[in-house]
Structures are given as structure tokens and as C-alpha cells.
Amino acid sequence: MGACCGNLLRDTWGRFSDRCVRFMPCLSDPARRSTLCLKIVLLTLHVVYAGVLFGLDSELIENARQVPWYIAIYYLLFIVTLVQYFVTSVSPPGYILDVMRTVNEAGALHNSTSVASKQPASSKNGSAVITIDRSHLLGPSATPWAKLVMDLYPHGSSVRTWTCTYCQSLQPPRTKHCHDCDKCVLEFDHHCVWLGTCIGQGNHCRFWWYICEETALSIWTGILYIQFLKSSISKAWWVYAIMILLLAMLSFFFIFLFLLLLFHSYLILTNQTTYELVRRRRIPYLRGVPERVFPFSKGACRNLYYSCCDRSNIYRMEHTPTHQEIEEKSKPYTCSDVMRCRCCC
């Protein structure tokens, strides 16, 4: 009898799974299923924390009627945080295949329109900007993408060191192949399982803003929970138990988010990635660079501008630092450097 019930349950579950996969083909991928489950868990946590608070705290509801703007701002932050989460999860991190397609299409458009430009591929800060009218992208024997990648590496470098061993695409500096996405990512930082996507040059700033908003929401929610526990309203013991348990979990989430916010703020201000910081000695273009030297940094202000404000180009790729640049960045700070804000500009 037990075996028959078990087979019936397995058959029922199998038919249900087949129907779900038929209507939502994305669920056939285990990685996408786990990502969807994590998104549901995160959304449920937000709803539970806000729902329990407003469901049990009658004093908060009364205060909301007297001072509606206070709760309105809290709800606005709540909605903005969730919107930022989903926007970041669908933002492209800078897949090399997309950038390569853009460059090659720009080269084809250049050939078809026969528009020549004398503008060089390297700007004053040493970064290559992808636009449509770059004449140096074109070559007789190489694709525009290959020409662009070659200009970012020092002369004499081997093409084998630029080629990804997994997808066989030419990698610019600061690029890494993500095994979860099975794609190469420009300025790869890490693969975020909660977002279900990689964090790279295209969405690192959005990821920082999401962490910042989530941290602010955690602080505000924790303050509301503490005010509820300190209120003079008589409560049942199980209400205290639920609120204290949720507050303890919220404290753990806040510590994690706050440390993550500080860490990524440091990365943005120094123009680094998590992968470069953790695997510094294994990355070829960083092996000879001293520990306290940030070879791609252009100053805190410029790093912040290029990361979050400069949207005039599609993607920005930086060449490998030369020995002269590394020596210049390795020099200790002097009084004149401090007066000129060398660390900022």
C-alpha cells in the first residue's frame, strides 16, 4: 500500500513538473530554478518583515495616520529597493560576446559608410572607448575586435594568453570567464547567486546602489522593531518571541550588508574587482605589481565618475599598465601630493 502511494505521488509530481516546464521552459535548467527559488525567498523575507511589523504594531498604524509622510517614505524605500534588485538582476554585466558583436557591427558600418576618423583609440587616461567611428578598429587581416584587443596589450604578447580556453574568444584585460554563466565578463567581479547573474562593468554600480538601499532599509526596519519592543503596549509572549527572532536575523543581515557595502565602496574608489583583489597573484597582469598599488586607479573621484556617472560610451576597456605607470603609482605620497589631492584626482 505504501509503495503504491509513493508511486502515485511520484507520478503526480512528475506530471506537475512536466506541465510547469512546458509553460515555463526556463525551469528546465537547474541553475535557473535555484535562482528563481532564491528570488522568491528574498521577496518573501521582505514581505514577512514588513507584514509582521504592520500586522502586530497597532501603535505604528496610529502614528502613520498622524504622520503619514514617515511611513510613506519607508514604503517608498521598500519599493525602490525591490525594483533595484530586479533591475540589477536583469542588467547585463558586460558579456564579451555582446561587446564583440557591437565592435564588429561598428566596423562593418564604418566600411559601408566609408567614414574615416583620425581619433585615436586610447584616451588620456589609457582606456579604449567603443564608439562607431573608430578607424583604427579596421584592418586588412584582423577583425575590428581583434585589433582593439591587440592595442590593449603590450607589444610581443602571445595571442594564446588573450584567448579564453572555454569559449575561445579574445579577452581584453580584466576579463574572466564565468563558469556559472558560461560567458566571459568584462571587469568580472563575482557571480551573485542571489541575483542570478554576474557582477561586472555593466552592472557593478547598480549592484552597489542595491546594497546601499538594502542596508538603509534594514536599519530603518530594525529601528521600527526596536520601537515596537520598547513600547508600553501589553503583548503576548509569542509576539515578543517572534519579534526578537526576526530582529536577531535582521541584525545578522545588516552586518553582512554593511560589510559588503564598505567592501564594494572600497573596490569602486580604487577601481578594483573582487576577483582581482582575491586572486591578485594568479592574474598575469598583476603579478609584478606591489600589493598597495592599484594599477587601474585614476584617483578616487575619477574612479567614482567612470564607474557610476560616465555613460557616454558603451563599454570602457583599459590597457595593461606599463612599467612607468606602475612606478609612478608606487611612489610614496609627499606633502605636495597631499596638497594636490593625488589620491583623489
Side-chain angles (χ1 to χ4, degrees):
M1 184 66 181
C4 293
C5 292
N7 293 332
L8 180 61
L9 288 175
R10 281 194 296 269
D11 294 339
T12 304
W13 175 253
R15 288 194 296 268
F16 177 74
S17 301
D18 293 339
R19 289 183 180 179
C20 291
V21 171
R22 190 181 308 163
F23 288 105
M24 291 182 289
C26 62
L27 296 180
S28 59
D29 187 3
R32 292 188 177 183
R33 284 201 303 269
S34 61
T35 300
L36 179 61
C37 291
L38 288 175
K39 289 182 178 180
I40 293 174
V41 168
L42 189 139
L43 181 62
T44 303
L45 284 174
H46 283 78
V47 174
V48 165
Y49 271 96
V52 168
L53 183 64
F54 288 92
L56 298 178
D57 194 353
S58 58
E59 185 177 350
L60 179 63
I61 298 175
E62 185 64 26
N63 293 335
R65 295 174 181 174
Q66 298 177 0
V67 190
W69 61 266
Y70 183 79
I71 301 301
I73 296 177
Y74 177 81
Y75 270 121
L76 179 62
L77 179 61
F78 182 87
I79 295 173
V80 167
T81 302
L82 290 180
V83 170
Q84 185 71 28
Y85 169 76
F86 286 105
V87 169
T88 307
S89 65
V90 298
S91 299
Y95 293 122
I96 290 301
L97 293 178
D98 298 334
V99 185
M100 185 191 311
R101 189 180 304 110
T102 301
V103 173
N104 290 332
E105 288 176 356
L109 180 63
H110 179 93
N111 283 335
S112 62
T113 55
S114 300
V115 177
S117 175
K118 300 298 183 181
Q119 186 177 1
S122 298
S123 61
K124 293 182 180 180
N125 56 24
S127 61
V129 176
I130 302 174
T131 54
I132 290 181
D133 53 353
R134 300 279 179 169
S135 61
H136 104 291
L137 294 178
L138 305 176
S141 60
T143 62
W145 174 251
K147 292 280 291 180
L148 179 61
V149 173
M150 281 191 291
D151 289 342
L152 297 174
Y153 285 96
H155 295 289
S157 301
S158 174
V159 180
R160 290 185 177 181
T161 60
W162 316 340
T163 306
C164 176
T165 57
Y166 299 97
C167 59
Q168 301 301 319
S169 59
L170 291 178
Q171 294 181 329
R174 313 191 71 185
T175 302
K176 182 185 179 299
H177 186 89
C178 176
H179 297 283
D180 296 284
C181 298
D182 197 22
K183 294 179 182 179
C184 289
V185 180
L186 188 62
E187 287 191 23
F188 174 83
D189 188 89
H190 71 285
H191 184 88
C192 182
V193 295
W194 288 98
L195 291 169
T197 186
C198 284
I199 304 300
Q201 187 189 89
N203 58 0
H204 198 178
C205 182
R206 290 189 177 94
F207 178 72
W208 184 89
W209 275 110
Y210 165 66
I211 300 173
C212 184
E213 294 162 4
E214 196 74 73
T215 305
L217 183 63
S218 300
I219 294 174
W220 201 336
T221 304
I223 292 174
L224 293 177
Y225 269 72
I226 293 174
Q227 290 177 350
F228 173 72
L229 291 174
K230 292 174 63 177
S231 62
S232 58
I233 301 177
S234 59
K235 313 172 189 66
W237 67 269
W238 58 269
V239 174
Y240 279 104
I242 292 175
M243 299 298 284
I244 292 174
L245 177 62
L246 291 177
L247 184 61
M249 293 174 57
L250 185 63
S251 302
F252 172 77
F253 295 148
F254 165 72
I255 293 173
F256 173 76
L257 288 170
F258 184 69
L259 294 178
L260 191 64
L261 178 63
L262 292 179
F263 177 68
H264 280 276
S265 300
Y266 167 74
L267 292 179
I268 289 178
L269 291 176
T270 56
N271 195 8
Q272 296 185 91
T273 64
T274 303
Y275 172 71
E276 291 175 342
L277 186 65
V278 175
R279 300 296 182 91
R280 187 182 182 99
R281 296 182 179 179
R282 298 186 180 182
I283 300 175
Y285 56 82
L286 293 178
R287 283 175 183 170
V289 181
E291 289 291 333
R292 297 295 180 181
V293 176
F294 314 118
F296 299 103
S297 177
K298 302 169 184 61
C301 297
R302 291 185 181 180
N303 293 336
L304 185 62
Y305 171 76
Y306 287 130
S307 177
C308 297
C309 302
D310 185 18
R311 298 300 175 188
S312 59
N313 51 39
I314 301 174
Y315 288 108
R316 182 172 51 87
M317 293 183 291
E318 300 171 280
H319 68 76
T320 53
T322 61
H323 292 290
Q324 292 79 5
E325 292 173 342
I326 294 176
E327 291 178 358
E328 183 68 24
K329 294 178 183 294
S330 302
K331 292 180 180 179
Y333 286 96
T334 61
C335 294
S336 60
D337 293 331
V338 176
M339 295 296 294
R340 292 186 289 106
C341 298
R342 175 187 161 191
C343 62
C344 299
C345 303

